[in-house]
């Protein structure tokens, strides 16, 4: 790490001392009640800008139906349900999120997307979905979530476990920028502050490396540049088959 980046990161960390203290004494947990509202508002803008990319990604979901039956989908980190509009009609959706305060916004999205049926809302992290059975879903979806999980490798193990043979894991995640860019520099500098704003989000992750090492039988992965702010402009998008 270059000295300028180290110094700037140190300065940001110092400015974040009140936030570090709030987290240490447990006060940051109150933000989790506000965070769903923030995500709901931001997701509206994100979906407008990424509509075509999402539509293209989820176009392949019906291909993973089991013998023509309705597709069984498990969405990890479902948030406020902003992906529902892109799922094929008749799909059965199980929602999973560690933050129970998303229920209000999730219910609203369910009402707006009555082309789907909803099995349950599981309050759990991606690393431990023990309440979801083995090989019970056709498709697992994860968008803008692998940046926040504590253990990507364990999360992908859980994805493997719940997917039936021949099922697919669909993902759309922001990742660290190319090291030669200013985006890469500022991603690292602003990471201490971004962590709190994004409820644990890390913009400096090389998520594609975890997917490449996860042992899927097939991996379709693309790096793209999105029409979003610099910190989350670089994305990976695609799907992996069990």
């Amino acid at each position: 790490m270059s000295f300028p980046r180290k110094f700037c990161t140190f300065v940001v960390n110092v400015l974040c001392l009140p936030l570090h203290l709030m987290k240490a004494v447990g006060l940051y947990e109150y933000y989790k009640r506000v965070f769903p509202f923030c995500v709901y508002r931001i997701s509206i803008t994100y979906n407008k800008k990424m509509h075509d990319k999402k539509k293209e990604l989820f176009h392949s979901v019906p291909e993973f139906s089991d013998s023509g039956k309705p597709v069984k989908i498990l969405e990890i980190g479902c948030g406020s349900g902003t992906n529902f509009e892109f799922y094929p009609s008749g799909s059965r959706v199980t929602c999973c999120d560690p933050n129970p305060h998303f229920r209000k916004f999730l219910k609203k999205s369910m009402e707006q997307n009555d082309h789907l049926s909803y099995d349950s809302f599981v309050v759990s992290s991606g690393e431990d979905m023990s309440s979801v059975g083995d090989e019970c879903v056709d498709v697992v979806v994860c968008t803008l979530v692998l940046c926040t999980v504590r253990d990507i490798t364990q999360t992908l193990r859980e994805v493997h476990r719940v997917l039936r043979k021949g099922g697919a894991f669909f993902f759309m995640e922001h990742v660290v920028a190319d090291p030669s860019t200013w985006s890469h520099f500022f991603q690292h500098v602003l990471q201490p502050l971004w962590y709190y704003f994004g409820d644990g989000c890390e913009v400096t992750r090389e998520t594609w490396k975890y997917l490449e090492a996860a042992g899927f039988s097939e991996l379709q992965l693309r790096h793209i540049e999105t029409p979003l702010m610099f910190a989350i402009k670089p994305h990976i998008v695609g799907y992996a088959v069990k």
Side-chain angles (χ1 to χ4, degrees):
M1 184 185 294
S2 65
F3 175 77
R5 199 175 90 187
K6 282 184 178 180
F7 177 76
C8 291
T9 304
F10 171 76
V11 171
V12 173
N13 259 310
V14 171
L15 294 174
C16 287
L17 279 176
L19 294 173
H20 296 329
L21 181 60
M22 287 175 63
K23 184 174 178 63
V25 300
L27 291 177
Y28 179 72
E29 293 301 309
Y30 288 102
Y31 179 59
K32 293 185 181 297
R33 294 179 176 273
V34 180
F35 185 64
F37 174 76
C38 299
V39 170
Y40 176 72
R41 300 304 304 173
I42 293 171
S43 294
I44 293 173
T45 301
Y46 183 88
N47 263 11
K48 286 180 179 178
K49 292 186 176 182
M50 296 295 288
H51 182 274
D52 291 345
K53 296 295 183 184
K54 281 194 173 186
K55 188 175 181 180
E56 179 185 1
L57 171 65
F58 294 122
H59 176 74
S60 302
V61 168
E63 298 176 14
F64 297 96
S65 168
D66 185 10
S67 303
K69 299 176 183 176
V71 184
K72 295 180 180 178
I73 301 173
L74 169 68
E75 182 168 350
I76 303 174
C78 60
S80 57
T82 54
N83 290 326
F84 293 167
E85 64 176 286
F86 301 98
Y87 295 161
S89 293
S91 298
R92 292 175 54 190
V93 183
T94 297
C95 305
C96 176
D97 200 287
N99 190 336
H101 303 295
F102 272 110
R103 287 182 190 272
K104 172 184 175 182
F105 300 99
L106 199 58
K107 182 179 179 181
K108 183 175 181 179
S109 290
M110 289 176 175
E111 292 171 349
Q112 293 172 342
N113 293 278
D114 57 4
H115 65 291
L116 308 174
S117 60
Y118 303 93
D119 287 345
S120 60
F121 175 45
V122 179
V123 180
S124 68
S125 66
E127 295 95 331
D128 180 14
M129 297 184 290
S130 54
S131 59
V132 180
D134 296 350
E135 300 185 352
C136 66
V137 296
D138 305 309
V139 167
V140 175
V141 173
C142 192
T143 61
L144 306 184
V145 172
L146 295 180
C147 56
T148 59
V149 298
R150 290 189 178 90
D151 189 333
I152 298 178
T153 300
Q154 176 58 26
T155 300
L156 295 178
R157 287 196 194 103
E158 282 288 85
V159 170
H160 262 281
R161 181 182 65 79
V162 302
L163 272 177
R164 67 169 178 80
K165 182 71 173 178
F169 172 55
F170 284 76
F171 56 87
M172 179 179 283
E173 300 285 339
H174 64 75
V175 294
V176 69
D178 186 281
S180 65
T181 64
W182 279 108
S183 291
H184 184 272
F185 176 87
F186 283 110
Q187 279 179 328
H188 284 80
V189 168
L190 297 177
Q191 177 55 49
L193 178 61
W194 192 273
Y195 175 89
Y196 291 106
F197 169 76
D199 193 19
C201 177
E202 295 187 20
V203 293
T204 58
R205 289 186 174 180
E206 299 175 325
T207 307
W208 66 90
K209 293 184 178 180
Y210 293 90
L211 286 160
E212 291 168 351
F216 289 102
S217 64
E218 178 187 348
L219 177 62
Q220 298 289 334
L221 183 153
R222 293 186 297 126
H223 288 259
I224 63 172
E225 292 292 310
T226 65
L228 304 169
M229 66 174 296
F230 74 91
I232 57 173
K233 191 178 184 70
H235 272 50
I236 55 170
V237 59
Y239 65 86
V241 181
K242 179 176 177 179

